[in-house]
């Protein structure tokens, strides 16, 4: 269900106002008490707690020595309960729907207003890293929790001592505040959703959880009928675990466009751009469109020692040539010299080139696959992605035509099939601007929080005692570590976050499904080496804190 132009216009106007308020939100968060006191509190809520929860969730696995958490596995179910518990501790109304999405909502003063939805997924690939998906969920919970606590302090219904007991884990929000008061601390609803299955490892169908919320799980294809390697359908697996996957029940999970204000997702970049730029955070302008092809080539199988080269019809040699051609086709002007020698590459100058274009051959099979046999058949995959759909489709057509010409020249049978097509999704320009502003303005909150930590560490350090001749203690002259004053002006560039990068996501995310329902915005977080889907996946505690602080600042501008 597309988001209406009228709602988009209204929300753009809201964000323009919010952008003006955002310059105040970061500094106003510290008005109600000394900044060092509040800074320590926010450091615990936005930095320490998120990193701690990431570590905890990263140990919830079906494998003893690696992280694997697939749809409705024992670890997946334990993770669901843990996430629900953290949502409840943050003061949220919490429930799990009938496809195993976990929801946490603060209803707001206007309970019927459209909700701002924050989400990501809690399933993983095999042998995964602990940040993919989980970071977006836990940053969302922490940002909402911090906003509730800060607003409660400002409203004088919660003391700093009580807030610190919540941050220390000694109490929950709902132990110190009644639910009605919590709901009234934000102007309109905000909901965090932990999506059950984004990776699609079990059923080879991605975005199950977000499709259910966006209303695209049952149509145009009923994905409840997708089957796993054991022949069980999604519906059957849900039933086995006590869920009700009846179509009328599942259809009621879906939200409508007028119930949702926007969708926001925090995610590690899964690429090297931010690290190369020396930037901890970036804002996504679009999620690239994607085409997947399956290429099959058939020739004449034969003896490796007796068939002369001139008369061979070798599909493996052809596949190698085709893969090289595809790489060159997608490299643009960077490899122009090499392209001159490739007969199947279109040489015409392009009026438009999309620098986000990437092409990958990731799987290749050979029959019969023996060292002394000329291959009889090969099959390989082709994955083509770009932000510009028209450009991507042009490249796809050129690749298909190049493969056909190659097969004709080599006298091979050739079949190219479309396996998957997904249009690019453009993020809302208003949300992009709002997130860029939040990243810049959050530096004030982040700086003051770090300054407070430094002051605390300084004051708690032990200095040597000096005793005078009468046995009396006198003050030490040891100096405390210097603490730099925060010089960040909200809305103005800082050393780390000036010119926040705006980039295209080559990877798919739950935002792809949610874009069918509402406007989307995404915040990317730097990861070491651009590595993801691996135990080597890593986001520093500092960058986790920066991302959560930016999300908190964004929410404060919209919901206070």
């Amino acid at each position: 269900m597309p988001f209406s132009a009228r709602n988009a216009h209204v929300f753009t106007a809201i964000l323009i106002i919010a952008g003006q308020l955002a310059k105040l939100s970061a500094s106003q968060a510290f008005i109600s008490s000394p900044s060092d006191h509040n800074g320590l509190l926010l450091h615990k809520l936005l930095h320490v707690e998120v990193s701690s929860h990431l570590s905890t969730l990263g140990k919830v696995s079906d494998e003893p020595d690696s992280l694997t958490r697939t749809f409705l596995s024992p670890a997946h179910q334990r993770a669901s309960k843990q996430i629900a518990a953290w949502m409840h501790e943050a003061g949220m109304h919490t429930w799990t729907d009938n496809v195993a999405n976990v929801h946490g909502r603060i209803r707001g003063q206007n309970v019927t207003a459209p909700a701002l939805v924050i989400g990501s997924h809690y399933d993983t690939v095999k042998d995964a890293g602990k940040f993919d998906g989980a970071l977006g969920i836990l940053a969302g919970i922490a940002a909402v929790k911090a906003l509730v606590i800060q607003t409660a302090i400002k409203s004088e219904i919660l003391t700093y001592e009580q807030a610190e007991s919540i941050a220390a884990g000694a109490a929950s929000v709902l132990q110190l505040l009644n639910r009605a008061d919590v709901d009234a601390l934000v102007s309109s609803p905000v909901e965090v959703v932990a999506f059950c299955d984004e990776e699609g490892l079990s059923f080879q169908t991605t975005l199950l959880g977000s499709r259910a919320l966006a209303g695209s799980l049952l149509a145009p294809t009923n994905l409840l009928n997708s089957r796993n390697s054991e022949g069980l359908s999604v519906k059957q697996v849900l039933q086995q675990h006590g869920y009700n996957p009846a179509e009328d029940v599942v259809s009621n999970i879906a939200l409508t466009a007028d119930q949702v204000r926007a969708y926001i997702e925090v995610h590690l970049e899964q690429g090297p751009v931010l690290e190369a730029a020396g930037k901890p955070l970036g804002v996504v302008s679009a999620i690239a469109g994607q085409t997947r092809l399956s290429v099959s080539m058939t020739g004449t199988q034969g003896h490796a020692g007796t068939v002369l080269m001139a008369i061979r019809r070798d599909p493996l040699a052809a596949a190698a040539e085709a893969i090289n051609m595809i790489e060159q086709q997608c490299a643009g002007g960077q490899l122009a010299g090499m392209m001159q020698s490739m007969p199947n590459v279109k040489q015409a100058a392009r009026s438009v080139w999309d620098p986000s274009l990437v092409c990958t051959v990731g799987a290749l099979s050979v029959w019969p696959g023996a060292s002394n046999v000329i291959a009889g058949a090969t099959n390989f995959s082709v994955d083509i992605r770009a932000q510009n759909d028209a450009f991507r489709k042009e490249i796809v057509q050129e690749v298909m035509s190049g493969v056909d010409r190659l097969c004709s020249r080599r006298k091979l049978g050739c079949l190219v099939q479309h396996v998957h097509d997904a249009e690019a999704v453009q993020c809302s320009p208003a949300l992009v601007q709002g997130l860029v502003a939040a990243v810049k303005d959050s530096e004030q909150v982040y700086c003051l929080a770090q300054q407070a930590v430094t002051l605390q560490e300084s004051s708690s350090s032990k200095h040597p005692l000096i005793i005078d001749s009468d046995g009396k203690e006198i003050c030490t002259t040891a100096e405390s570590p210097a603490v730099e004053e925060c010089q960040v002006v909200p809305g103005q560039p800082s050393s780390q976050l000036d010119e926040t990068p705006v980039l295209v996501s080559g990877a798919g995310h739950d935002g792809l499904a949610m874009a069918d329902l509402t406007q989307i915005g995404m915040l990317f977080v730097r990861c070491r080496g651009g590595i993801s889907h691996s135990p080597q996946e890593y986001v520093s505690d500092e960058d986790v804190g920066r991302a959560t602080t930016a999300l908190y600042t964004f929410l404060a501008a919209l919901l206070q």
Side-chain angles (χ1 to χ4, degrees):
M1 183 179 298
F3 191 74
S4 72
R6 178 180 178 275
N7 282 346
H9 175 74
V10 170
F11 189 68
T12 300
I14 290 171
L15 272 182
I16 290 172
I17 296 171
Q20 296 170 343
L21 295 176
K23 294 182 180 181
L24 300 176
S25 64
S27 58
Q28 284 181 340
F30 290 86
I31 288 175
S32 57
S33 94
S35 62
D36 59 335
H37 199 160
N38 202 35
L40 285 172
L41 177 62
L42 285 175
H43 176 75
K44 292 174 184 176
L45 292 171
L46 299 174
H47 300 203
V48 177
E49 183 171 293
V50 185
S51 292
S52 174
H53 286 176
L54 278 166
S55 180
T56 298
L57 201 60
K59 297 172 184 175
V60 181
S61 174
D62 290 307
E63 302 292 339
D65 300 318
S66 62
L67 176 56
T68 300
R69 195 166 56 234
T70 58
F71 182 60
L72 289 181
S73 69
H76 189 269
Q77 294 174 75
R78 294 196 304 273
S80 170
K81 292 177 181 177
Q82 180 61 78
I83 291 167
W86 285 330
M87 289 176 171
H88 181 76
E89 289 172 6
M92 300 179 182
H93 299 264
T94 304
W95 71 97
T96 301
D97 65 32
N98 274 291
V99 296
N101 293 328
V102 186
H103 302 250
R105 175 179 279 232
I106 304 293
R107 291 178 177 170
Q109 297 162 16
N110 184 356
V111 296
T112 61
L116 181 66
V117 178
I118 305 162
S120 200
H121 59 98
Y122 67 100
D123 67 316
T124 74
V125 297
K126 290 184 178 179
D127 198 23
K130 68 181 180 181
F131 299 93
D132 184 5
L135 173 59
I137 297 167
L138 299 177
I141 295 171
V144 172
K145 182 178 179 179
L147 180 62
V148 164
I149 291 173
Q150 286 289 302
T151 310
I153 293 170
K154 190 174 180 180
S155 303
E156 298 183 347
I157 62 173
L158 190 72
T159 67
Y160 264 98
E161 290 73 20
Q162 290 174 319
E164 287 174 343
S165 71
I166 295 172
S172 70
V173 170
L174 291 176
Q175 286 175 327
L176 299 178
L177 298 172
N178 67 60
R179 190 176 288 280
D181 284 343
V182 172
D183 282 333
L185 290 171
V186 297
S187 58
S188 57
V190 57
E191 183 170 324
V192 180
V193 184
F195 292 117
C196 61
D197 184 273
E198 186 258 12
E199 301 289 2
L201 204 64
S202 298
F203 297 93
Q204 303 304 305
T205 48
T206 59
L207 311 175
L208 282 178
S210 47
R211 288 182 194 273
L213 197 65
S216 57
L217 184 63
L218 302 179
T221 302
N222 189 339
L223 297 180
L224 290 176
N225 295 325
S226 302
R227 296 186 180 275
N228 62 18
S229 59
E230 298 174 355
L232 296 174
S233 68
V234 175
K235 180 182 291 186
Q236 289 172 319
V237 172
L238 284 166
Q239 287 172 330
Q240 287 178 353
H241 291 88
Y243 295 93
N244 182 357
E247 290 186 15
D248 59 333
V249 174
V250 171
S251 64
N252 284 333
I253 294 171
L255 298 174
T256 58
D258 59 357
Q259 293 176 311
V260 186
R261 190 176 183 180
Y263 173 76
I264 302 295
E265 184 168 357
V266 176
H267 206 283
L268 80 158
E269 182 194 353
Q270 298 182 294
V273 175
L274 292 176
E275 185 179 51
K279 305 292 184 181
L281 304 176
V283 177
V284 177
S285 62
I287 300 175
Q290 179 184 19
T291 298
R292 292 181 188 173
L293 305 175
S294 174
V295 180
S296 298
M297 295 178 171
T298 55
T300 302
Q301 188 173 321
H303 195 290
T306 61
V307 181
L308 298 177
M309 298 298 294
I311 61 173
R312 291 189 180 192
R313 297 172 58 241
D314 185 346
L316 181 54
E321 182 180 344
I323 292 167
N324 195 19
M325 177 269 293
I326 291 166
E327 181 184 38
Q328 303 308 319
Q329 186 73 66
C330 297
Q334 298 177 28
L335 299 175
M338 294 177 64
M339 290 176 68
Q340 300 269 337
S341 63
M342 301 298 296
N344 297 312
V345 176
K346 185 176 180 180
Q347 299 296 322
R350 298 184 185 277
S351 59
V352 177
W353 181 266
D354 184 345
S356 71
L357 174 70
V358 288
C359 303
T360 305
V361 175
L364 171 67
S365 61
V366 181
W367 176 262
S371 62
N372 61 345
V373 179
I374 301 166
T378 59
N379 176 270
F380 60 91
S381 64
V382 183
D383 184 306
I384 301 174
R385 307 187 191 203
Q387 178 181 0
N388 185 306
D389 283 325
F391 177 78
R392 170 176 54 84
K393 291 172 183 177
E394 180 183 346
I395 294 293
V396 168
Q397 187 57 51
E398 290 176 9
V399 166
M400 293 175 67
S401 297
V403 170
D404 284 341
R405 290 193 298 270
L406 186 154
C407 288
S408 177
R409 175 167 50 82
R410 285 178 170 267
K411 298 181 173 58
L412 300 173
C414 191
L415 177 64
V416 182
Q417 295 176 297
H418 273 77
V419 176
H420 173 74
D421 268 302
E423 298 293 295
V425 169
Q426 304 301 316
C427 294
S428 159
L431 287 172
V432 171
Q433 292 173 12
L435 287 169
V436 167
V439 169
K440 291 180 179 179
D441 294 342
S442 69
E443 181 69 356
Q444 178 77 356
V445 181
Y446 182 84
C447 178
L448 290 169
Q450 294 304 109
Q451 184 186 70
V453 172
T454 303
L455 286 169
Q456 183 191 51
E457 292 173 348
S458 171
S459 63
S460 63
S461 62
K462 294 182 178 179
H463 301 299
L465 292 178
I466 300 176
I467 308 298
D468 66 10
S469 58
D470 297 324
K472 295 180 180 179
E473 180 183 331
I474 60 175
C475 294
T476 177
T477 57
E479 294 184 356
S480 299
V483 179
E484 294 185 4
E485 182 180 353
C486 290
Q487 299 293 335
V488 179
V489 178
Q492 298 299 317
S494 69
S495 58
Q496 282 290 313
L497 300 174
D498 57 315
E499 299 180 0
T500 301
V502 177
L503 59 163
V504 175
S505 172
H509 300 285
D510 286 299
L512 278 172
M514 292 299 290
D516 290 338
L517 174 67
T518 187
Q519 300 182 108
I520 69 166
M522 289 195 69
L523 181 67
F524 267 176
V525 189
R526 173 173 56 191
C527 57
R528 186 170 60 195
I531 296 171
S532 185
H533 285 187
S534 163
Q536 302 305 312
E537 179 181 285
Y538 177 77
V539 178
S540 70
D541 288 349
E542 178 182 350
D543 286 355
V544 168
R546 286 186 180 276
T548 310
T549 303
L551 180 60
Y552 162 77
T553 305
F554 180 81
L555 296 181
L558 290 183
L559 299 174
Q560 282 187 329

